Amino acid sequence: MKILGIETSCDETAAAVVENGTKILSNVVASSLPLHAKTGGIIPEVAAREQARAMIPVVKESLLQMATSLSIRDWRSAIGQIDAIAVTFGPGLIGSLLVGVETAKILSYVWHKPLVPVNHLIGHLYAPWLANSHPPEFPLVALIVSGGHTELLYITGHGKWRHLGGTRDDAAGEVLDKTARVLGLDYPGGPAIEKVAASGEKACFNLPRPLVDSPDYDFSFSGLKTAVVNLASRPADSSVKQLTNRLVAGLAASIQEAVVAVLVKKTVKAAKEFKVSNIVLGGGVAANQRLHEAMIAAFPGKVYFPAGLALDNAVVIAAAAFFNYAPVSWQKVAADAAILI
Ligand code: KG4
Ligand code: ZN
């Protein structure tokens, strides 16, 4: 089964075709990141307007790539081989989601293909199923760490998950993005902090690790963010510009250590309590190498990372749709304009 996936929950406009949830036939991602780097964060209206412009060219490019992968004469003929259309319906920015969902609905109606709604966070977990001869085995514990979410799940099969806990305030990615800005680093903050932290400076600040030893599976990162803001604006260093490169590197390493320590401790605790031998990480923060090292060191079982599919993309949405296939017929799409969002 070949599924065309569409993903527009944040600032990416993505389309991909995946066969049987495992074989990538195309993968196209257009990002409006350079625009958001200028403003130090995403302005939802700007993101949605860019997505409205990029959506159709991105879908067309994914069909072109699919045609090449399958040696099909032209992209229009590739449409006939698509069995279903998958789309992220949430969570995400509403203006951005609407671009993808409305496009998917129209294509479903015009092409007479079923539509498969996919939860963005569940999509993030499917990266290890792509082109992997040894995909994860159930039951497993999954950690989803992105710009907007920090969620821990216990999963016993495709579509069978239990929410163990999540952040009570800021997400892990959000604290990296916000503290990076305080340190004068680029947006997005996660990769910027990782890069600066890798310069060799020690994690010399004893920053708070909220809820690290709490008996539940919840997270809280706002206290860490406040501690960094306070440190960076102490009278002695009254403006960010006065922070030396060494200090910024030391703070960046300390922030990364604090976030990683909490994520690893809670995830491994859940894996032990639920007696699983597989941990799956998903979402943008799961691209972090220090998180990889620390998770592997703390857990004797197998840890799966999203490799090149950590950031938002449509490949994982199409894969999740295959393994959790729950289609809405195109007739239903046509009859119910308000469907999905
Ligand atoms: O999953 P994603 O692309 O978008 C959302 O669904 O939010 O995640 C974006 C988040 C941002 O907060 C970004 O700073 C973070 O992932 N991120 C990283 C790294 N690459 C992206 N955080 C830590 N280390 C990285 N290498
Ligand atoms: Zn995401």
Side-chain angles (χ1 to χ4, degrees), residues 7-341:
E7 155 64 43
T8 61
S9 66
C10 194
D11 58 330
E12 280 84 10
T13 310
V17 181
V18 175
E19 187 167 11
N20 296 336
T22 53
K23 189 174 174 198
I24 302 172
L25 299 179
S26 67
N27 179 15
V28 183
V29 182
S31 174
S32 53
L33 192 74
L35 288 177
H36 309 303
K38 282 186 203 155
T39 46
I42 294 168
I43 297 176
E45 163 107 12
V46 173
R49 283 178 186 272
E50 286 304 305
Q51 285 160 321
R53 283 194 328 166
M55 190 74 259
I56 297 299
V58 163
V59 169
K60 185 178 169 191
E61 177 60 28
S62 78
L63 294 172
L64 276 164
Q65 282 187 12
M66 173 194 178
T68 307
S69 300
L70 298 176
S71 305
I72 297 173
R73 194 164 34 87
D74 65 278
W75 65 273
R76 283 179 203 280
S77 315
I79 295 168
Q81 295 223 6
I82 289 171
D83 299 292
I85 298 166
V87 66
T88 300
F89 70 94
L93 304 172
I94 186 67
S96 296
L97 288 167
L98 279 169
V99 174
V101 169
E102 292 305 310
T103 303
K105 279 161 60 179
I106 291 165
L107 294 180
S108 157
Y109 176 59
V110 173
W111 292 346
H112 290 194
K113 315 269 183 198
L115 185 66
V116 187
V118 174
N119 178 301
H120 177 73
L121 300 176
I122 297 300
H124 266 307
L125 296 179
Y126 278 86
W129 270 268
L130 274 309
N132 188 349
S133 49
H134 296 101
E137 285 173 14
F138 298 112
L140 56 86
V141 160
L143 174 71
I144 303 160
V145 260
S146 69
H149 290 268
T150 307
E151 313 291 345
L152 208 44
L153 306 179
Y154 171 56
I155 308 184
T156 53
H158 295 295
K160 294 182 189 150
W161 48 270
R162 187 170 131 201
H163 189 243
L164 300 178
T167 186
R168 294 184 189 172
D169 38 57
D170 294 347
E174 189 180 346
V175 80
L176 295 171
D177 292 336
K178 300 242 166 91
T179 55
R181 193 191 313 181
V182 172
L183 298 185
L185 301 176
D186 288 341
Y187 177 84
I193 284 190
E194 177 167 28
K195 192 168 163 217
V196 176
S199 67
E201 203 59 42
K202 287 223 157 45
C204 43
F205 292 90
N206 190 14
L207 296 173
R209 296 170 183 204
L211 300 186
V212 69
D213 290 316
S214 69
D216 51 34
Y217 289 113
D218 280 351
F219 300 86
S220 164
F221 290 109
S222 67
L224 170 59
K225 181 180 72 185
T226 308
V228 175
V229 171
N230 289 342
L231 261 173
S233 56
R234 271 199 307 222
D237 312 312
S238 61
S239 88
V240 172
K241 288 192 182 65
Q242 286 176 341
L243 290 177
T244 62
N245 288 346
R246 258 192 89 182
L247 211 58
V248 168
L251 261 171
S254 309
I255 296 163
Q256 184 172 261
E257 278 312 304
V259 170
V260 165
V262 179
L263 294 178
V264 168
K265 185 131 196 217
K266 290 259 153 132
T267 308
V268 171
K269 179 173 120 109
K272 287 189 175 151
E273 183 181 330
F274 289 91
K275 297 185 175 50
V276 305
S277 51
N278 282 204
I279 287 176
V280 171
L281 302 192
V285 181
N288 188 278
Q289 293 304 314
R290 179 68 195 117
L291 178 61
H292 292 198
E293 284 166 24
M295 197 69 84
I296 287 169
F299 184 61
K302 185 113 176 71
V303 186
Y304 289 86
F305 301 100
L309 296 169
L311 302 178
D312 288 349
N313 66 83
V315 168
V316 295
I317 301 305
F322 174 79
F323 289 109
N324 301 271
Y325 194 69
V328 177
S329 70
W330 66 268
Q331 290 95 333
K332 172 95 175 115
V333 171
D336 186 355
I339 207 161
L340 296 190
I341 285 185

